[in-house]
Amino acid sequence: MKICSTAPGKVILFGEHFVVKGTPAIAGALSLRAKVCIEDCTSGIEVVSMNRGWSMKLGEFEPLQLRQFKRIIEYVVKEGYLSKVRNFRAYIWSKIPIGSGLGSSAATAVAFTTSLLEFHGVSYGANDVKRISLEAEREVHVNPSGIDNAIATYGGLILYRKGAVRRLKAKLPKESLLLIVDTGIERSTGSAVKYVLEMYEKHTSTFKYIYRAASSLINEALKAIREKDLVKLGELMQLNQGLLRTIGVSNLDIENIVYNAVRLGAFGAKITGAGMGGSVIVLTTRENYSTILEGLKPFAKRFIPAKIDPRGYVVSSSYAH
Ligand code: PMV
């Protein structure tokens, strides 16, 4: 028996970091996906990374790469989804760049969870997938808000707050395009989150105002999305970027990209994800994005013109990639 699932990466459009302390955030699923196929094998549990070219068996002492999978397996047993885990081999592919703030670990965790449950014939719903995959995120990040695995589960656009997901009916305007600009600087979400939380503790009374501003910005962004107002959305992205800079997760590389994107005609640009490197999203149009991409080449490593994918996890029995 074999079963495959895919799940999307994500962009946070508004509210990263602030979301960790319970402020709402808006995220969208990316058209880039991770895929996990599970098939029978004769002994043990084996994980094969098709991108990185390694293959490892689950044992008592796990290397870092296997910890998130082990945690999912232990959790589904502990929570009674499965009484006994069968032997299996899991193949993992991902088109989502790693360490770039695009939710690759959460997409892999969601695809792994759905393939694992399907392989064992368990009945489950999206809420179960979201809950189980959060366990894997806890292994990878310090204190994850849960937004990454929520968007990888549901797809489309969501409003996320403290574990609650509201799926948004509105879509970004057809003529719009999100250009993802990868700074090429790998960084750890865990340490960026830790830094911001430490700053919050140090400057609590001032930070409370910043978090309140981030919250008010979300209401305005929801309205701008509903009204398909790209100019306003771009301005709100600039404001959000200003707040992220204030809490200390921007740097010169990011600021150069944001500044030049707007100079080249983008509606707005901001960090997406933890910052301190990773990726920047640029809001532009299908017509204008190549001019912006050309102009930003000296400042970035990689560009991905992206769409919001309406699909969350998808299960199939085919290996086709
Ligand atoms: O950079 P990423 O994709 O790991 O996103 C992190 C988003 C944060 O808000 C900074 C942390 C979180 O858990 O929500």
Side-chain angles (χ1 to χ4, degrees), residues 14-16 18-19 22-26 159-162 214-215 218-219:
F14 295 97
E16 49 275 274
F18 307 108
V19 70
T23 297
I26 302 172
L159 176 71
Y160 181 85
R161 186 176 188 195
K162 285 189 182 163
S215 178
I218 297 293
N219 292 332

Side-chain angles (χ1 to χ4, degrees), residues 267-289:
F267 294 108
K270 64 176 275 293
I271 286 167
T272 186
M276 294 185 166
S279 299
V280 170
I281 43 170
V282 175
L283 181 65
T284 176
T285 56
R286 285 169 199 278
E287 213 185 326
N288 207 21
Y289 91 87

Side-chain angles (χ1 to χ4, degrees), residues 18 58 98 167 175 185 247 302:
F18 307 108
L58 230 73
I98 293 167
R167 303 174 79 177
E175 71 276 19
I185 306 167
I247 62 171
R302 181 173 24 199

Side-chain angles (χ1 to χ4, degrees), residues 10 12 15-20 25 99-105 137 141-148 160 187-190 192-193 272-275 278:
K10 66 100 197 7
I12 298 181
E16 49 275 274
H17 283 292
F18 307 108
V19 70
V20 173
S100 302
L102 303 176
S104 83
S105 64
E137 286 293 274
H141 301 320
V142 178
N143 194 13
S145 64
I147 193 170
D148 284 26
Y160 181 85
R187 81 291 174 275
S188 125
T189 298
V193 169
T272 186

